[in-house]
Amino acid sequence: MYDLGVRRVLVTGTGPLGCVPAELAMRSRNGECSAELQRAASLYNPQLVQLLRSLNSQLGSDVFIAANTQQTRNDFVSNPQAYGFSTSKIACCGQGPYNGLGLCTVASNLCPNRNQYAFWDAFHPTEKANKLIVQNILTGDEKYMYPMNLSTILALDSRT
């Protein structure tokens, strides 16, 4: 990609795999996240940053930027009320336990206000949750972005 002229690539990590409504519906007895899947995500994301750090070092430039979307989503999964959600366990649209089974169809349960839900369907964040993720991509510190956020990148790139 670099040889083709690409100079910035935003790479997102994985989200909280074990806490999505689909996993709660299939694996959880009491609404707890799947420890195995959470561990997999927590191993993957730091390794992604290491890989991108190594690639950037080889290229001598911060071409690859890592977005720790897992951290953002973990924030609102662990404390949904702090972000204006009533729940991070139940999907807005779906079937079965936690609305975590099947696709969002006309036969699905549909929440009355999607802004109160962190997840739209069994896997995907709602529009409001995605806005929180994007806000951290734009302005988040190194907890959320490495080596810099998108606003910093845009400011740097506007000078060249």
Side-chain angles (χ1 to χ4, degrees):
M1 288 176 18
Y2 186 81
D3 291 341
L4 294 173
V6 173
R7 292 299 178 262
R8 296 286 186 202
V9 178
L10 180 67
V11 183
T12 60
T14 183
L17 300 176
C19 296
V20 297
E23 291 305 323
L24 297 179
M26 293 186 294
R27 297 177 186 240
S28 179
R29 291 194 177 120
N30 298 312
E32 72 279 355
C33 298
S34 166
E36 178 184 12
L37 292 176
Q38 285 298 94
R39 179 167 155 66
S42 70
L43 292 172
Y44 173 81
N45 289 305
Q47 290 178 31
L48 176 65
V49 170
Q50 283 182 320
L51 173 67
L52 298 182
R53 182 180 287 136
S54 175
L55 288 171
N56 286 342
S57 178
Q58 290 172 24
L59 296 171
S61 179
D62 290 325
V63 174
F64 295 96
I65 311 299
N68 188 349
T69 55
Q70 178 190 20
Q71 183 60 54
T72 304
R73 289 168 73 178
N74 279 344
D75 289 349
F76 59 70
V77 164
S78 64
N79 190 1
Q81 289 75 23
Y83 298 89
F85 299 118
S86 61
T87 182
S88 62
K89 295 186 182 300
I90 301 168
C92 180
C93 187
Q95 301 96 40
Y98 307 99
N99 273 348
L101 300 176
L103 301 174
C104 182
T105 68
V106 294
S108 296
N109 300 312
L110 185 61
C111 69
N113 182 352
R114 66 178 176 240
N115 287 327
Q116 294 180 348
Y117 290 72
F119 287 95
W120 167 250
D121 62 16
F123 295 99
H124 302 100
T126 57
E127 180 180 359
K128 180 179 177 179
N130 275 316
K131 285 179 181 179
L132 294 170
I133 293 167
V134 169
Q135 187 62 43
N136 279 333
I137 289 172
L138 283 170
T139 61
D141 61 22
E142 283 194 10
K143 177 179 176 184
Y144 302 101
M145 297 295 297
Y146 178 84
M148 65 192 90
N149 62 43
L150 191 56
S151 294
T152 302
I153 293 166
L154 293 171
L156 289 171
D157 288 353
S158 70
R159 295 182 205 159
T160 58

